[in-house]
């Protein structure tokens, strides 16, 4: 099978994650899919500039021709699909089918979350986890909401930048304690950075036991996974902060300071810091959460928006903060959310709103949003659009030409992103299928996106 790599032809690395400059070149030599993971040019992060997506030199497609192609695939006005295609540069709609009607976005909600985060805290923002002196001979492990905090050893060749290490934090803390003559401590923990319920409105009872997401707290190690070394096991711990304190006490003991897990508390104001580690930058977190559709990272990123905007660090506060930021960017119309990940079936976003959000991130006016585009899965190559998606004859035209965020809930499938058409014009699209009451076919959305990419409709 021959797959075009026009969206992969210029690679750089930002904070250790591969990002691609979008170009309209469709005349590359055939390459195997593995090139996407292999041919990375590593350069200092400080020298990387990811430009705006090139709108392309081609003229926009003829709306009536494009409509004819898409309507044939959708199957008529009775089909349970809301859809839109817009010119990414001008934002002018080229195809609309109930485009302004809000629908359940599922994980395409993460587009709104990501844009809001980058627009508020910025691409360079990092989340800090620290240890400070407590009371009564204790120390306090203070969670800042870093979803990548890990107790695992570093993995050479990992496809992500170095995560904040609980082991390193234990080494720093043990060194500071030994220097002050302390050889035995109690590890209390502070999760006051977040407030409210650990689950969002509308989340199904099976989400936590099935491991779709961990209870959302300000202190979690390895996303609360019971078996973080085994990706086939998704089970999460019931109390992530308590488990984190227990693991930190174990690591401290291994570093020569006898420690035991303590209780939940709030760190004393102005307490002396004994150690600190930081997450990857927000740009890397956004790329990861979009490529892999990571629910835990998405919820953490949404809370950072709430904190920055002075809203309560709760699900409701984060949702309000995200919409407030989108309003400031002129992209809030048609957006109503209850969480940051899209797990809530109560979320509602219209196709035109998703297309506008994607176009905003791809444009020249907001370079701080570029990680939204570089984090989108590449059709037939990466993340949630990896094979077998875009490998069938009916969708193959989109392979390498489409970058999009997927969304899946029971009875719902969504796809929103970018594609260069056959004339080299950059188009933004959103296709939203299903009403939550019956089966849906994600393959139909792939075929629609492929039709956009294959359209020489100028």
């Amino acid at each position: 099978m021959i797959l075009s790599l026009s969206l992969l032809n210029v690679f750089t690395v930002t904070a250790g994650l591969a990002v691609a400059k979008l170009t309209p070149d469709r005349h590359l030599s055939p390459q195997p899919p593995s090139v996407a993971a292999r041919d990375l040019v590593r350069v200092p992060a400080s020298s990387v500039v990811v430009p705006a997506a090139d709108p392309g030199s081609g003229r926009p497609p003829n709306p009536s021709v494009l409509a004819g192609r898409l309507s044939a695939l959708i199957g008529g006005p009775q089909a349970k699909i809301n859809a839109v295609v817009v010119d990414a540069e001008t934002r002018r709609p080229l195809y609309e089918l109930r485009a302004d009607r809000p629908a359940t976005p599922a994980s395409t909600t993460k587009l709104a979350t990501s844009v809001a985060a980058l627009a508020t805290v910025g691409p360079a923002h990092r989340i800090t986890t620290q240890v400070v002196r407590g009371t009564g001979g204790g120390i306090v492990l203070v969670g800042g909401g870093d979803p990548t905090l890990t107790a695992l050893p570093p993995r050479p060749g990992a496809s992500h930048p170095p995560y904040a290490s609980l082991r390193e934090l234990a080494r720093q803390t043990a060194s500071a304690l030994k220097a002050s003559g302390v050889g035995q401590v109690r590890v209390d923990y502070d999760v006051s950075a977040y407030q409210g319920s650990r689950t969002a409105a509308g989340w199904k009872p099976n989400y936590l036991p099935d491991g779709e997401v961990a209870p959302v707290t300000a202190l979690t190690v390895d996303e609360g996974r019971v078996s973080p070394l085994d990706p086939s096991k998704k089970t999460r711990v019931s109390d992530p902060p308590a488990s984190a304190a227990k693991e930190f006490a174990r690591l401290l003991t291994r570093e020569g300071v006898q420690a035991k897990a303590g209780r939940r508390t709030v760190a004393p104001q102005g307490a002396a810091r004994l150690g600190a580690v930081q997450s990857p930058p927000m740009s890397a977190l956004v790329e990861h959460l979009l490529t892999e559709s990571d629910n835990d990272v998405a919820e953490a990123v949404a809370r950072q928006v709430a904190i920055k905007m002075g809203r309560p660090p709760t699900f409701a506060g984060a949702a309000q903060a995200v919409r407030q930021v989108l309003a400031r960017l002129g992209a809030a119309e048609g957006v109503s959310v209850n969480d940051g990940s899209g797990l809530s079936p109560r979320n509602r976003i219209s196709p035109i709103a998703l297309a506008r959000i994607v176009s905003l991130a791809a444009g020249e006016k907001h370079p701080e949003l570029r990680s939204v585009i570089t984090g989108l899965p590449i059709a037939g190559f990466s993340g949630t659009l990896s094979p077998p998606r875009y490998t069938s004859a009916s969708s193959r035209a989109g392979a390498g030409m489409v970058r999009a965020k997927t969304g899946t809930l029971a009875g719902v499938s969504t796809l929103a992103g970018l594609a260069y058409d056959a004339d080299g014009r950059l188009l933004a699209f959103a296709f939203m299928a299903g009403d939550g009451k019956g089966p849906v076919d994600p393959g139909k959305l792939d075929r629609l996106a492929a039709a956009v990419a294959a359209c020489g409709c100028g």
Side-chain angles (χ1 to χ4, degrees):
M1 178 181 64
I2 296 175
L3 300 180
S4 170
L5 294 184
S6 63
L7 298 189
L8 308 176
N9 63 336
V10 181
F11 272 93
T12 54
V13 172
T14 299
L17 284 182
V19 298
K21 175 186 174 183
L22 294 169
T23 73
D25 179 13
R26 302 178 69 100
H27 306 291
L28 300 176
S29 301
Q31 299 281 358
S34 59
V35 73
R38 186 174 67 244
D39 294 343
L40 303 182
V41 181
R42 296 197 173 273
V43 296
S46 59
S47 68
V48 172
V49 176
V50 182
D54 187 340
S57 57
R59 57 182 176 178
N62 183 306
S64 62
V65 177
L66 179 63
R69 297 195 178 189
L70 296 180
S71 296
L73 292 170
I74 287 173
Q78 300 305 313
K80 296 179 180 178
I81 293 182
N82 298 0
V84 71
V85 179
V86 305
D87 183 270
E89 182 177 24
T90 65
R91 315 283 171 83
R92 182 171 70 91
L94 301 170
Y95 174 79
E96 297 178 275
L97 178 64
R98 297 181 285 271
D100 60 351
R101 185 177 300 178
T104 304
S107 278
T108 54
T109 300
K110 293 180 174 73
L111 291 167
T113 302
S114 298
V115 163
L118 291 166
T120 51
V121 302
H125 176 72
R126 296 173 185 262
I127 305 170
T128 300
T129 305
Q130 61 180 331
V131 177
V132 301
R133 291 194 181 274
T135 58
I139 60 174
V140 184
L141 176 61
V142 184
D146 179 7
T148 70
L149 183 65
T150 180
L152 299 178
R155 290 187 299 151
S159 61
H160 57 74
Y163 288 159
S165 170
L166 198 67
R167 295 178 179 222
E168 171 60 25
L169 186 57
R171 282 192 286 270
Q172 294 178 22
T173 303
S175 178
L177 290 172
K178 290 175 183 177
S180 61
V182 177
Q184 184 172 342
V185 293
R186 182 189 70 251
V187 179
D188 296 329
Y189 55 94
D190 182 346
V191 293
S192 59
Y194 288 3
Q195 298 171 10
S197 172
R198 294 183 177 186
T199 59
W203 279 13
K204 296 183 178 180
N206 66 295
Y207 285 167
L208 298 186
D210 288 354
E212 295 296 332
V213 66
V216 178
T217 75
L219 178 61
T220 305
V221 175
D222 291 309
E223 294 189 337
R225 298 182 185 276
V226 173
S227 303
L229 287 172
D230 187 348
S232 68
K233 297 180 179 179
K234 300 174 67 175
T235 306
R236 312 301 182 96
V237 299
S238 60
D239 190 348
S243 295
K246 184 177 180 180
E247 178 64 14
F248 189 69
R250 186 187 70 81
L251 292 171
L252 270 183
T253 299
R254 197 175 72 174
E255 293 292 330
V257 176
Q258 292 297 313
K260 64 178 182 179
R263 56 184 175 81
R264 177 174 174 173
T265 187
V266 175
Q269 190 75 20
R273 176 184 281 184
L274 300 172
V277 292
Q278 291 188 312
S279 73
M282 183 58 66
S283 58
L285 295 179
V286 163
E287 286 185 324
H288 169 76
L289 78 87
L290 290 172
T291 299
E292 303 300 334
S293 203
D294 191 307
N295 296 319
D296 299 277
V297 177
E299 294 302 344
V301 166
R303 295 299 173 99
Q304 295 301 306
V305 181
I307 293 169
K308 182 67 175 181
M309 296 297 291
R311 296 275 187 174
T314 62
F315 280 105
Q320 292 164 1
V322 165
R323 198 174 188 285
Q324 182 179 348
V325 176
L326 293 178
R328 191 175 68 193
L329 295 170
E333 185 178 356
V335 178
S336 176
V337 296
N338 291 276
D339 63 13
S341 62
L343 284 173
S344 176
R346 299 183 185 180
N347 293 350
R348 293 291 184 271
I349 303 180
S350 66
I352 189 64
L354 288 172
R356 285 170 177 161
I357 288 170
V358 171
S359 298
L360 186 72
E364 296 180 349
K365 294 183 179 179
H366 294 281
E368 73 279 9
L369 305 181
R370 206 68 66 238
S371 297
V372 171
I373 303 306
T374 58
L376 291 176
I378 301 169
F381 285 85
S382 64
T384 55
L385 289 184
S386 294
R389 296 187 75 159
Y390 290 90
T391 58
S392 69
S394 59
S395 64
R396 194 175 298 160
M401 303 310 304
V402 170
R403 299 195 73 139
K405 181 69 196 77
T406 58
T408 304
L409 288 175
V412 171
S413 185
T414 58
L415 190 69
L418 295 168
Y420 280 105
D421 71 5
D423 291 328
R425 190 71 180 185
L426 185 62
L427 308 177
F429 63 83
F431 303 118
M432 310 180 75
D435 57 7
K437 298 178 182 179
V440 289
D441 176 18
K444 175 175 279 192
L445 305 190
D446 292 349
R447 292 191 289 275
L448 288 167
V452 172
C455 190
C457 309

